[in-house]
Amino acid sequence: MPAATSAAKSEFPWWLAAAAILALAAALAIATSDLYAQVFATVAKGIGITIFVTVVAFALASALGLGIALMALSGSQWLRQIARFYVEIIRGVPILVLLFWIAFAGAPAFVAAWNALTGPLQSAGFLGELLVRDVSLLWRAIMALTIGYSAFISEVFRAGIQSVEKGQIEAAKALGLTRVQRFRLIVFPQAIRTILPPLGNDFVAMVKDSSLVSVLGVADITQIGKVYAAGSFRFFETYSIVAYVYLILTVGLSLALRALERRLRRQREE
């Protein structure tokens, strides 16, 4: 077994070399072809929106997922059942369907509820009436990704927290630490080592799933590529560049996360 492990560590990453060659070939084509350069310049305008949607939605999903995980691990049966209901229902709905539901059913329902609750303030002139068009499609898309991914991330947090040895928690109790102090000082610092790899995988997956927001007309990489291809009929060139940009983002993130995992593993071994 040690020999196999050593061989695996010393194995040359041929897949990465092949991917780097393809990336260099694509970069050369963009640099030397006016057509590919124009397509890339157009598609690149959506990179900022893609990154913004991914980062904001993932941050919100992580915060919500942590809350759901703590509910699932609480001493209250009602909170545990609510958390389990949320996770199972949300995980059973495809992200695309959830995105449509949030955008065209959830947002109008939220606006109606908001206006009903703030009716007296609106009548007094303190608040204006909220309209459905005031809730941008960008934020509807972000909320859909937040809700969809929070269910998966909550399970990652739950498993990571449960991986901490109970003996350490009992020792922290014996030292008089409060529940919040135990979580902040004992549980979470150890759980994050288990949580980080799958959490990183979810982040990479969200980069790819952020392309779904294009169905709402949000000007991300996919939407801009779709509009450009429809107008120029350069479908091969356009979608090749779109795929290239996503691959650069996702493979780059994956390599960075693997490097971080190796660093954490070495720290744990030391």
Side-chain angles (χ1 to χ4, degrees):
M1 183 66 69
T5 304
S6 177
K9 289 182 178 180
S10 61
E11 182 177 341
F12 185 78
W14 291 105
W15 71 270
L16 182 58
I21 291 172
L22 289 176
L24 289 174
L28 183 62
I30 293 171
T32 57
S33 170
D34 291 338
L35 174 59
Y36 278 105
Q38 182 181 4
V39 174
F40 180 79
T42 302
V43 170
K45 296 176 182 178
I47 293 178
I49 290 295
T50 294
I51 294 175
F52 176 78
V53 168
T54 302
V55 171
V56 174
F58 189 79
L60 294 175
S62 297
L64 180 57
L66 178 58
I68 298 298
L70 294 177
M71 289 174 61
L73 297 172
S74 71
S76 170
Q77 180 180 356
W78 285 105
L79 290 179
R80 294 196 303 271
Q81 292 299 320
I82 291 172
R84 178 51 52 190
F85 175 83
Y86 178 89
V87 169
E88 296 300 334
I89 295 299
I90 297 301
R91 289 198 305 180
V93 180
I95 295 293
L96 183 59
V97 176
L98 185 62
L99 193 145
F100 279 129
W101 192 91
I102 293 294
F104 301 117
F110 168 78
V111 169
W114 174 265
N115 288 331
L117 290 173
T118 61
L121 293 176
Q122 293 178 15
S123 301
F126 292 107
L127 288 176
E129 182 182 3
L130 182 65
L131 302 177
V132 175
R133 64 172 178 267
D134 294 330
V135 184
S136 70
L137 290 173
L138 174 64
W139 282 101
R140 299 186 206 188
I142 289 174
M143 291 312 301
L145 289 175
T146 296
I147 294 172
Y149 267 82
S150 65
F152 295 95
I153 291 175
S154 69
E155 290 295 277
V156 173
F157 278 117
R158 182 184 61 80
I161 292 172
Q162 288 182 322
S163 68
V164 179
E165 295 181 6
K166 293 184 178 179
Q168 298 190 35
I169 300 175
E170 295 299 327
K173 288 182 180 179
L175 291 173
L177 297 181
T178 64
R179 182 186 295 269
V180 175
Q181 290 175 328
R182 292 197 300 270
F183 179 79
R184 182 171 60 87
L185 301 175
I186 305 297
V187 176
F188 193 74
Q190 298 182 67
I192 193 63
R193 297 175 180 176
T194 304
I195 291 169
L196 190 60
L199 201 62
N201 291 337
D202 283 336
F203 184 70
V204 174
M206 184 177 281
V207 173
K208 294 183 291 183
D209 280 346
S210 68
S211 63
L212 296 175
V213 306
S214 63
V215 300
L216 298 181
V218 176
D220 71 325
I221 296 170
T222 304
Q223 174 65 10
I224 291 179
K226 183 165 58 176
V227 172
Y228 183 87
S232 65
F233 297 99
R234 295 287 186 176
F235 294 99
F236 176 81
E237 294 85 352
T238 302
Y239 287 114
S240 295
I241 293 297
V242 168
Y244 171 72
V245 173
Y246 275 112
L247 282 171
I248 292 296
L249 291 174
T250 56
V251 174
L253 280 171
S254 297
L255 293 175
L257 289 169
R258 290 183 184 181
L260 181 59
E261 289 175 28
R262 288 194 296 269
R263 181 178 179 181
L264 291 176
R265 192 180 303 115
R266 286 196 299 268
Q267 290 179 351
R268 187 184 307 177
E269 292 172 354
E270 293 174 357

